[in-house]
Amino acid sequence: MKITIGLTTWTEHPALINNEQRPVTLNEYAQYLPTVEVDTFFYALPQVTTIQNWLAEVPEAFQFIVKAHRGMTLHERGQEKGELEQLFNRYRKTVAPLVAAGQLKTVLFQFPPYFDASPQDIEYLRLVRLWMGNLPIAIELRNQTWYRPGTLKSLLTFCRELHFTLVAADEPHGTVTSVPFVLATTNPDLVMMRLHGQNTEGWINQGKSWRKTRTLYKYSPAELQAFCDQINQLTPQPKELCVIFNNNSGKDAAPNALQLQKMLDIHFTGLAPRSPEQIDLF
């Protein structure tokens, strides 16, 4: 099983550039870690030239996890089915350069807390697979109805049938908007962990400062070791397990990621930039 580690965005991790107080470039980021999660797509679909520029800054082995557009994750209820299908079509065209380069790890569908285990939302997940074709998909669910004792087993089976990676999300437990950490292989190609931290007060904060406090958390060595143990004990093993650190309100994601890498004794190879001439333009 290959283990990869990445962060959310690449600009906000000063630990990778000797704590210089400036945005980290994608090229600098890619010299340390083999994958990154990009949330740009959640707000608006980027231009193809933007994606081409990203590819020009990273080695061939580097991969992108891209979020689904907010319309695709029903952050706006009541959309017409036809409009949604058109959005999915535009999205597939947008990520085509990543697919062609073999550098799309997965598309992350992070659903809102009100997306629950109702018949209509279960049926929507079937539409997601239909409209995305054979593209790799990871889903992060944030409603506790999916994880009820009588539902969880069916959820795991459902994800296996649709070839979905069910994201194991580490977040504060026991709150209305949180779900338990469930690490399971629902996709033989990819298992994915997203680590948000355990800041309960920040997690439930609905004020103006929620973005600054929600992921304000630094994992301890003991907590990281517990993740190592769960990773090593996972069965059946997928081809790849990817860990994404999102605990970056206090800039702790990169230090924690590098620490976990050392604890797992893994080394990322091929992290050398390539020239633009080596990249196919679309």
Side-chain angles (χ1 to χ4, degrees), residues 171-188:
E171 54 195 39
H173 305 301
T175 72
V176 176
T177 58
S178 66
V179 296
F181 182 84
V182 176
L183 185 63
T185 304
T186 61
N187 178 349

Side-chain angles (χ1 to χ4, degrees), residues 10 26 30 34-38 41 50-51 53-59 61-67 98 102-108 136 274:
W10 60 79
L26 178 56
T35 189
V36 69
E37 180 185 304
V38 185
F41 297 75
T50 299
I51 297 177
N53 291 336
W54 294 346
L55 290 170
E57 290 194 58
V58 299
F62 191 90
Q63 288 195 309
F64 295 85
I65 297 166
V66 294
K67 276 192 174 181
L98 295 175
Q103 292 180 255
L104 174 67
K105 187 182 297 295
T106 194
V107 178
L108 172 63
R274 53 186 169 148

Side-chain angles (χ1 to χ4, degrees), residues 215-246:
T215 61
L216 182 60
Y217 192 79
K218 183 176 183 179
Y219 285 102
S220 69
E223 289 173 311
L224 294 176
Q225 184 59 54
F227 288 131
C228 289
D229 294 342
Q230 292 186 69
I231 290 170
N232 291 328
Q233 294 166 12
L234 178 63
T235 55
Q237 289 190 345
K239 293 179 182 177
E240 177 183 351
L241 184 145
C242 180
V243 184
I244 295 295
F245 282 86
N246 187 39

Side-chain angles (χ1 to χ4, degrees), residues 69-277:
H69 186 271
R70 65 193 314 271
M72 297 161 64
T73 50
L74 302 187
H75 278 74
E76 299 173 2
R77 289 284 198 181
Q79 300 174 84
E80 294 292 334
K81 186 175 179 180
E83 293 178 357
L84 272 172
E85 187 173 4
Q86 290 177 12
L87 174 58
F88 273 77
N89 289 337
R90 292 196 303 273
Y91 190 94
R92 290 203 314 272
K93 292 178 181 178
T94 300
V95 300
L98 295 175
V99 176
Q103 292 180 255
L104 174 67
K105 187 182 297 295
T106 194
V107 178
L108 172 63
F109 281 73
Q110 188 179 32
F111 288 99
Y114 49 78
F115 186 86
D116 61 10
S118 61
Q120 70 174 27
D121 286 344
I122 292 171
E123 182 58 30
Y124 183 74
L125 289 176
R126 294 188 185 278
L127 282 176
V128 167
R129 172 46 76 199
L130 176 66
W131 289 338
M132 292 295 282
N134 62 357
L135 289 181
I137 295 172
I139 62 171
E140 181 171 339
L141 303 169
R142 293 188 285 175
N143 187 291
Q144 294 180 14
T145 58
W146 297 98
Y147 292 88
R148 290 172 179 167
T151 307
L152 177 58
K153 185 177 179 180
S154 297
L155 171 64
L156 297 177
T157 300
F158 183 73
C159 287
R160 292 185 180 107
E161 290 175 353
L162 295 184
H163 212 68
F164 285 160
T165 293
L166 178 63
V167 173
D170 184 69
E171 54 195 39
H173 305 301
T175 72
V176 176
T177 58
S178 66
V179 296
F181 182 84
V182 176
L183 185 63
T185 304
T186 61
N187 178 349
D189 296 321
L190 178 67
V191 166
M192 187 171 166
M193 298 165 54
R194 295 185 77 238
L195 310 182
H196 303 294
Q198 287 290 329
N199 185 344
T200 301
E201 183 177 349
W203 193 261
I204 62 177
N205 176 20
Q206 299 295 318
K208 294 182 179 180
S209 63
W210 72 270
R211 290 186 181 275
K212 296 180 179 179
T213 61
R214 186 175 175 85
T215 61
L216 182 60
Y217 192 79
K218 183 176 183 179
Y219 285 102
S220 69
E223 289 173 311
L224 294 176
Q225 184 59 54
F227 288 131
C228 289
D229 294 342
Q230 292 186 69
I231 290 170
N232 291 328
Q233 294 166 12
L234 178 63
T235 55
Q237 289 190 345
K239 293 179 182 177
E240 177 183 351
L241 184 145
C242 180
V243 184
I244 295 295
F245 282 86
N246 187 39
N247 58 318
N248 205 45
S249 292
K251 312 300 181 186
D252 294 310
N256 273 166
L258 298 176
Q259 190 175 9
L260 181 68
Q261 178 186 356
K262 184 176 181 180
M263 295 170 74
L264 289 168
D265 192 26
I266 54 178
H267 305 276
F268 303 126
T269 58
L271 301 187
R274 53 186 169 148
S275 65
E277 290 75 19

